[in-house]
Each structure stands twice: as C-alpha cells, then as structure tokens.
C-alpha cells in the first residue's frame, strides 16, 4: 500500500472472501488495470486486469533489477497533490449496488495526528490490525501503527472474535485496539484472560451499548469513533467513561460538524437534527456516480464558494456533558454529539461495518451491543497475503480547507 501511494496511484482493497460477483463489480467499476496478488489467490480472480504475483519467481526476478532508492518526482507521471485519490472503498451495497467512495490524501494526516494525540501512541505501543481490508477501519488501523512508529500485530483473516481474539490480545501484548462492538462483546471477561497490557480500546462500526462500556472501560481508556467512509474513516471521537452517556464526541481536526433541520438551519442544543460534515476530510464523491454524489455532497451555506457539506443521513443532537473530546459552545460549555439513529437518507461508516459483519457469519450474537445504524480514471490492483487491492492514477479535483 505504501509503495502504491508513493507512485501517486490510489488503491482499492478487495477482500478475497467476498462473493465473486461483488469482487468483479469492484474491480470493473473502479477501472482497475493492474492487480497485485499472491499465488494463493490465483484461482477465480477476475481476468479484466493484469495480475502481478508479488511472491512469484517472475516478478521477483524483475524487481531484483530495479533500484531500491525512493521514487523520485521525475519518475511520476504528474505532480502529486493532497487532493488526489488515496484509496477507493466500496460501500456494503445494502441499498443497492456497492458504490466506490473516492477518498483523497487531504484528511489522512489530520486523522493520523489526531489518533497519536488522543490515544497516546508511542513507538513502544503494540496495535492490532483486525479489520477486513475492504472495511475502511483497516486504514484507521494502519495509521494507528505508522503514526508513532508502533508495532502492528496482524490478526489472521479467519479470526472473528471470541477466545481466539482474546488469546491474541494477551499473547501479543496488544496495547491499542480498534474493535467493533460485536467482536468486543464476543470476548468473555470471566477471568480466563487478563488484559493487563490493553491500555486503549476504540470501538466503531456500529453503536456501542452502555453495557459494553461498563464492561470494558474500567482499567483502561475507552473511545467511541464515528465517521462515514465519505469523511476519511472517522470524523468524531469520544472518550467514554461509565459515569457519562454514550456519545460520538466532537469533530477531529480538519472536520466541521453541523446539526441541521430540513431547511439546513442549525438546531438548538438538545434538539434532534441531521448530521452534516465539512472540511478537508470529505471524499471526492462516488466513482462514476455524479447524480448520487451531488445528492450527498451539497453546497455549504456556511462556507465559501465551492465548499461542500456531506449529508450523513444520521440523526443526532448536541448534549451537554463536559466530557473530553467534545465541542465548546458560545457559553463556554462542553457539548458532545449523541447518536439517535438512522435517518432516511443514506449509509455511514458505522453502517459500513456490515462489510465487516458479512465476513464473520460464524460470530455468535452479541448481547451487549445494539445495531445502529468524477469521472473514472484507470486504477491498477494490489494484494498482500490476504487481500487484493487496486489503484487509480491521480487527476485534479476540488478540495476544501477548513
């Protein structure tokens, strides 16, 4: 992935456990032209792209004759900018065909810095990589590790939770982990495992229940991360404690948050409204779907010319909590966002957790969590040991600064 990013291309992660027709759609829709894979996935991969087996003898021989020096700007096809695509993540397709969300580099550095600061990551931290490659939480997990030069422990792709996950957390001395509430709730705290090294737990991808919070928050810092794929993984982070309500917190750096009524007017604290997001984290839109993009990314009436808002479709309200990570209102009081449920508009990052859920059909029900809810350019394809990825060559696009 880092090699692809340095070339100026964008990657499209494809989980090989997905149904063949879904994989075919993602590769075809993204216009992938080159695929990176391994020999283990040589069977049943789409033939519409040129596949390179990174562990094959042919590619190994070719690479041995190439300089290991960093890629120079003179070797790229054009100047790289932060508003070029970094990756394309496909939605779950629960409301129709999966849509490719084209995410730029613009919000990644802010998210990385936010995580390092909020979670107190250091070079001695040991982070968990557990999410499916087609779930954008995998990007969050990569940034957890590289932001502070931490060690990343990669879980097996067939590990979904329960005792296996518990044993990995203990054996590998994981200090920081992003886990969906369903997976976290599948771990028994009956004394069989002692999570003494687990200092920070971050949940996301679905709603966190008060029961799950009361079970896991004691003895460690506990965070709730919220955000749509369309706003670079996580737009809000809340640090939760057992004596406060479950919230999604205030915005991370680079993100603007608006709670608006049907006329795009701000609502008062305590009043429910739809959550809109602004800032550099916003994606370009949906690949090849200009009408859908226009319906979801609307003009920002509170910003300058060309600035946009993203309609999350989620109903939220500001509440006064005094908790860490919230926002300050005009009176100087601390406010946090409380998630109330899905509206009628569209899907979000937490809903895209269904991508993750689809890959874990054997996971037992979790009693402690509730369900919450521009034009194409050529894209090559990259695959580590357990996934495939594709990438897109950069083109110019609109970007917004806060």
């Amino acid at each position: 992935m880092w090699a692809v990013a340095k070339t100026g291309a964008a990657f499209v992660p494809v989980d090989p456990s997905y149904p063949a027709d879904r994989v075919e759609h993602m590769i075809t829709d993204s216009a992938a032209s080159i695929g990176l894979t391994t020999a283990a996935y040589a069977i049943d991969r789409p033939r519409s792209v040129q596949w390179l087996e990174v562990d094959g003898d042919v590619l190994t021989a070719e690479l041995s004759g190439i300089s290991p020096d960093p890629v120079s700007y003179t070797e790229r096809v054009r100047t790289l900018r932060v508003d070029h695509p970094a990756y394309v993540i496909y939605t779950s397709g629960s409301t129709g065909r999966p849509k490719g969300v084209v995410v730029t580099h613009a919000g990644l550095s802010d998210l990385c810095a936010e995580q390092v600061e909020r979670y107190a990551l250091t070079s001695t931290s040991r982070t968990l990589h557990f999410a499916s490659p087609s779930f954008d939480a995998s990007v969050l997990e990569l940034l957890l590790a590289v932001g502070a030069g931490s060690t990343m422990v990669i879980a097996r792709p067939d590990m979904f939770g329960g005792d296996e996950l518990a044993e990995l957390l203990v054996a590998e001395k994981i200090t920081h982990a992003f886990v969906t509430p369903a997976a976290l709730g599948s771990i028994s705290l009956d004394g069989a495992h002692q999570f003494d090294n687990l200092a920070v737990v971050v949940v996301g991808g679905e709603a966190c229940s008060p029961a799950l919070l009361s079970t896991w928050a004691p003895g460690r810092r506990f965070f709730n991360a919220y955000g749509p794929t369309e706003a670079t993984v996580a737009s809000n982070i809340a640090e939760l404690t057992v004596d406060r309500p479950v919230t999604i917190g205030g915005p991370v750096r680079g993100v603007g948050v608006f709670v608006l009524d049907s006329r795009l007017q701000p609502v008062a604290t305590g009043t429910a409204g739809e959550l809109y997001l602004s800032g550099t984290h916003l994606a370009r839109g949906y690949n090849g779907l200009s009408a859908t993009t226009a319906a979801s990314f609307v003009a920002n009436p509170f910003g300058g010319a060309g600035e946009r808002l993203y309609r999350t479709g989620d109903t939220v309200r500001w509440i006064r909590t005094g908790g860490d990570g919230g926002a300050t209102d005009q009176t100087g009081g601390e406010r946090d966002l409380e998630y109330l449920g899905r509206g009628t508009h569209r899907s979000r990052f937490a809903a895209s957790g269904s991508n993750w859920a689809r890959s874990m059909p054997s996971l037992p029900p979790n009693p402690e969590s509730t369900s919450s809810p521009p034009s194409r350019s050529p894209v090559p394809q990259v695959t580590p040991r357990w996934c495939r990825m594709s990438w897109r060559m950069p083109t110019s696009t609109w970007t917004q600064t806060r």
Side-chain angles (χ1 to χ4, degrees):
M1 294 172 63
W2 304 126
V4 171
K6 289 179 179 181
T7 68
F11 65 87
V12 180
V14 180
D15 191 328
S17 67
Y18 278 179
D21 59 343
R22 179 180 172 89
V23 172
E24 181 72 39
H25 167 71
M26 295 168 70
I27 292 176
T28 303
D29 181 76
S30 62
S33 59
I34 298 176
L36 300 189
T37 186
T38 60
Y41 296 105
I43 301 175
D44 296 331
R45 62 192 182 200
R47 303 298 177 183
S48 57
V49 300
Q50 174 191 358
W51 290 98
L52 304 177
E53 293 184 1
V54 296
D55 58 348
D57 294 338
V58 174
L59 185 59
T60 300
E62 291 180 358
L63 293 178
S64 65
I66 298 177
S67 171
D69 294 336
V71 175
S72 166
Y73 74 93
T74 60
E75 299 176 278
R76 300 187 181 103
V77 296
R78 67 200 67 179
T79 301
L80 302 186
R81 297 185 175 86
V82 295
D83 55 345
H84 286 155
Y87 59 87
V88 180
I89 291 284
Y90 277 79
T91 64
S92 64
S94 58
T95 58
R97 291 180 66 82
K99 299 182 289 292
V101 182
V102 183
V103 182
T104 72
H105 295 269
L108 290 172
S109 61
D110 275 343
L111 177 59
C112 187
E114 186 84 21
Q115 291 193 135
V116 170
E117 179 181 313
R118 296 291 294 276
Y119 307 148
L121 289 158
T122 70
S123 59
T124 62
S125 300
R126 296 177 64 84
T127 68
L128 176 67
H129 186 46
F130 180 61
S132 161
S134 288
F135 180 21
D136 64 349
S138 61
V139 176
L140 178 153
E141 291 174 331
L142 290 170
L143 297 180
L144 276 179
V146 303
S150 307
T151 299
M152 183 171 69
V153 177
I154 303 176
R156 297 194 326 269
D158 59 351
M159 182 181 294
F160 303 125
D163 289 342
E164 284 189 316
L165 178 57
E167 291 167 3
L168 178 69
L169 293 172
V170 173
E172 295 294 340
K173 297 181 173 59
I174 302 299
T175 61
H176 294 70
F178 172 89
V179 190
T180 64
L184 190 63
S186 73
I187 299 175
S188 175
L189 291 181
D190 58 4
H193 301 97
Q194 299 298 320
F195 302 98
D196 297 333
N197 295 293
L198 190 58
V200 175
V201 170
V202 185
V203 295
E206 57 194 26
C208 174
S209 68
L212 189 67
L213 171 63
S214 63
T215 299
W216 282 93
R220 60 187 54 85
R221 299 178 70 194
F222 191 100
F223 293 87
N224 189 22
Y226 163 94
T229 299
E230 292 84 347
T232 314
V233 191
S235 59
N236 297 64
I237 299 175
E239 182 166 6
L240 304 181
T241 56
V242 294
D243 59 340
R244 296 184 185 276
V246 175
T247 65
I248 60 174
V252 302
R253 63 192 72 185
V255 173
V257 167
F258 302 85
V259 183
L260 307 178
D261 61 20
S262 59
R263 296 184 179 182
L264 296 186
Q265 294 300 308
V267 299
T269 298
T271 302
E274 184 175 355
L275 177 60
Y276 287 74
L277 302 172
S278 69
T280 56
H281 288 231
L282 296 192
R284 278 185 169 187
Y286 303 106
N287 184 50
L289 299 172
S290 56
T292 305
T293 297
S296 299
F297 296 84
V298 299
N300 183 354
F302 313 103
E307 295 186 3
R308 304 176 301 166
L309 294 177
Y310 170 68
R311 298 183 61 187
T312 68
D314 286 334
T315 302
V316 300
R317 65 180 175 186
W318 287 108
I319 60 173
R320 300 187 189 278
T321 65
D324 177 61
T328 304
D329 61 17
Q330 293 98 331
T331 66
E334 288 291 327
R335 303 188 301 170
D336 275 347
L337 277 176
E338 181 181 31
Y339 175 79
L340 300 177
R342 289 292 299 142
T344 58
H345 179 50
R346 26 168 306 95
S347 62
R348 68 182 185 101
F349 157 62
S352 76
S354 59
N355 287 338
W356 184 89
R358 288 170 65 133
S359 71
M360 44 176 288
S362 61
L363 188 66
N366 171 27
E368 295 184 338
S369 70
T370 58
S371 175
S372 83
S375 64
R376 273 181 214 178
S377 49
V379 182
Q381 185 145 103
V382 187
T383 306
R385 180 173 58 85
W386 42 267
C387 74
R388 302 190 184 103
M389 298 180 191
S390 50
W391 67 84
R392 165 184 310 277
M393 295 308 296
T395 56
S396 61
T397 186
W398 173 93
T399 187
Q400 174 182 347
T401 56
R402 190 178 177 190

